[in-house]
Amino acid sequence: MQSVNHLATPPLERGGDSSIGGLLLESGKITPESAERVLRMQKELGIRFGEAAQRLGLVTEADIQQALARQFDYPYLQPGEGRFAPQLVAAYQPFSPQVEVLRAVRSQLMLRWFARGRKSLVVLGMDGGDGASMFASNLAVVFSQLGERTLLVDANLRHPKQTEIFDVASKHGLSDVLAGRAELDCIAHVDAFVALSVLAAGTQAPNPAELLSRGAFASVATQLEARYEVVLYDVAAFNVAPDAVAVAARTGGVLLVARKHKTRLADIAAMKEQMGQSGVEVVGSVMVDY
């Protein structure tokens, strides 16, 4: 059995212990009584804490890898853990090929956009059901795993998805803030991750395009950039509503999400032209096959 590089430092106490043993104890994978058994075997055989716990059948290799990820501030979830959408692969399958692609996109965005002093970016699909919302969710997770203070804003005031994806229980959100009915304390921190928060869409508004075009949105966007290092906006699809242009005009940039065998080149050209007329840069594009 392959051992992993970790140390345990007794005593094992709940709360604040970043050792492998402390993290396993805090997460409920082992009990204080079983931890004593692990420590005895560790001392007798001169092996690492995690290896001893595995030999005793108390934890699995997946448990150890998850504790290591927490130790290095790279949190992720095991299948069935949490109540997030299963398509949130950055949370549940962090070492899969799909997430490697997400990390590559993140690296490109860091170099080509955020390194230029930008903090906000719109993630835009061409048509409803293109998978742009789920891509935005996964992209937000990988940014937070990098340690960047990340905020995902559900600016799709027509068909919001992020509350469902992240199981966020919030009575208020962006629409309420823009209408002066709530403050930014309605932003929800996603406890499963170190540096991820979500601003829900909020109350269904009869005038989403007007709300997003008001000066209040520019003010809110400025406040969010002061609080977070990365602010990603999930918006209504380009062919569904004009909302994306209003949001992108404030952020200055758009990442296009195209659907394989569905998104038309003519639509992409029309979107790029309209964004250019509004002074918005199309930072890049990705193709998804959800």
Side-chain angles (χ1 to χ4, degrees), residues 167-237:
D167 190 36
V168 173
S170 178
K171 294 181 179 179
H172 298 110
L174 178 61
S175 64
D176 303 286
V177 173
L178 296 178
R181 301 174 64 245
E183 301 295 331
L184 289 177
D185 56 7
C186 64
I187 293 174
H189 180 257
V190 184
D191 293 333
F193 302 98
V194 174
L196 178 62
S197 298
V198 174
L199 176 56
T203 305
Q204 191 81 32
N207 56 338
E210 288 76 16
L211 276 179
L212 294 170
S213 299
R214 289 178 181 174
F217 177 71
S219 175
V220 168
T222 299
Q223 293 178 62
L224 296 179
E225 289 185 350
R227 296 187 184 190
Y228 297 92
E229 294 167 303
V230 173
V231 183
L232 300 177
Y233 289 89
D234 178 23
V235 297

Side-chain angles (χ1 to χ4, degrees), residues 73-103:
D73 288 336
Y74 190 73
Y76 65 91
L77 303 173
Q78 294 188 27
E81 185 179 0
R83 293 186 292 181
F84 304 137
Q87 294 87 356
L88 202 62
V89 292
Y92 290 112
Q93 304 172 46
F95 309 113
S96 64
Q98 300 103 307
V99 182
E100 289 296 336
V101 172
L102 280 163
R103 283 193 279 268

